Amino acid sequence: VQLQASGGGLVQAGGSLRLSCAASGSSFSISVMGWYRQAAGKQRELVAVIISGGGINYADSVKGRLTISRDNGKNTVYLQMNSLKPEDTAVYYCTALIRSIDSGTRAYWGQGTQVTVSS
């Protein structure tokens, strides 16, 4: 199973970006999908997670500006980012808790996509 993230880039403060992350492989099921971010010199932190039943949790710093969603049919999670701030600048990583025949249940990570917000 692999996670492939896309959609990062450079945007001015107040702008918007949409990140996508698709899981691919065979014979797997996904329970939780989410996004973390890591700014330069800082620890990786949770941004948002969404479970298969629809429950969602956001970091306080992004509530009201970032929206997580998923398309179960496409095994894809999205992060719509609005009203971006320079402090949102980071490498964003998608993650998923996946059960597969080959590997049992474990967490997978995407390759990271850079988001840069200029002031």
Side-chain angles (χ1 to χ4, degrees):
V1 179
Q2 292 184 328
L3 297 180
Q4 180 68 43
S6 61
L10 172 64
V11 65
Q12 289 187 334
S16 299
L17 284 173
R18 188 190 194 210
L19 306 183
S20 301
C21 178
S24 62
S26 61
S27 303
F28 65 91
S29 62
I30 306 174
S31 55
V32 182
M33 302 189 83
W35 294 91
Y36 281 71
R37 67 186 181 187
Q38 187 167 19
K42 296 186 177 181
Q43 291 187 332
R44 191 173 298 190
E45 63 176 3
L46 171 71
V47 176
V49 292
I50 181 169
I51 63 173
S52 57
I56 293 174
N57 187 39
Y58 292 102
D60 288 342
S61 60
V62 306
K63 286 180 180 177
R65 301 186 299 113
L66 276 58
T67 302
I68 190 171
S69 61
R70 65 190 281 178
D71 184 331
N72 292 327
K74 295 181 179 180
N75 294 317
T76 299
V77 63
Y78 305 95
L79 187 67
Q80 178 65 44
M81 303 189 292
N82 299 328
S83 302
L84 283 164
K85 304 175 180 180
E87 51 263 44
D88 294 316
T89 296
V91 177
Y92 284 70
Y93 297 91
C94 62
T95 185
L97 189 62
I98 295 175
R99 182 174 66 184
S100 67
I101 293 176
D102 294 337
S103 302
T105 300
R106 50 161 284 196
Y108 290 80
W109 292 86
Q111 80 281 13
T113 183
Q114 177 70 47
V115 171
T116 303
V117 184
S118 63
S119 57

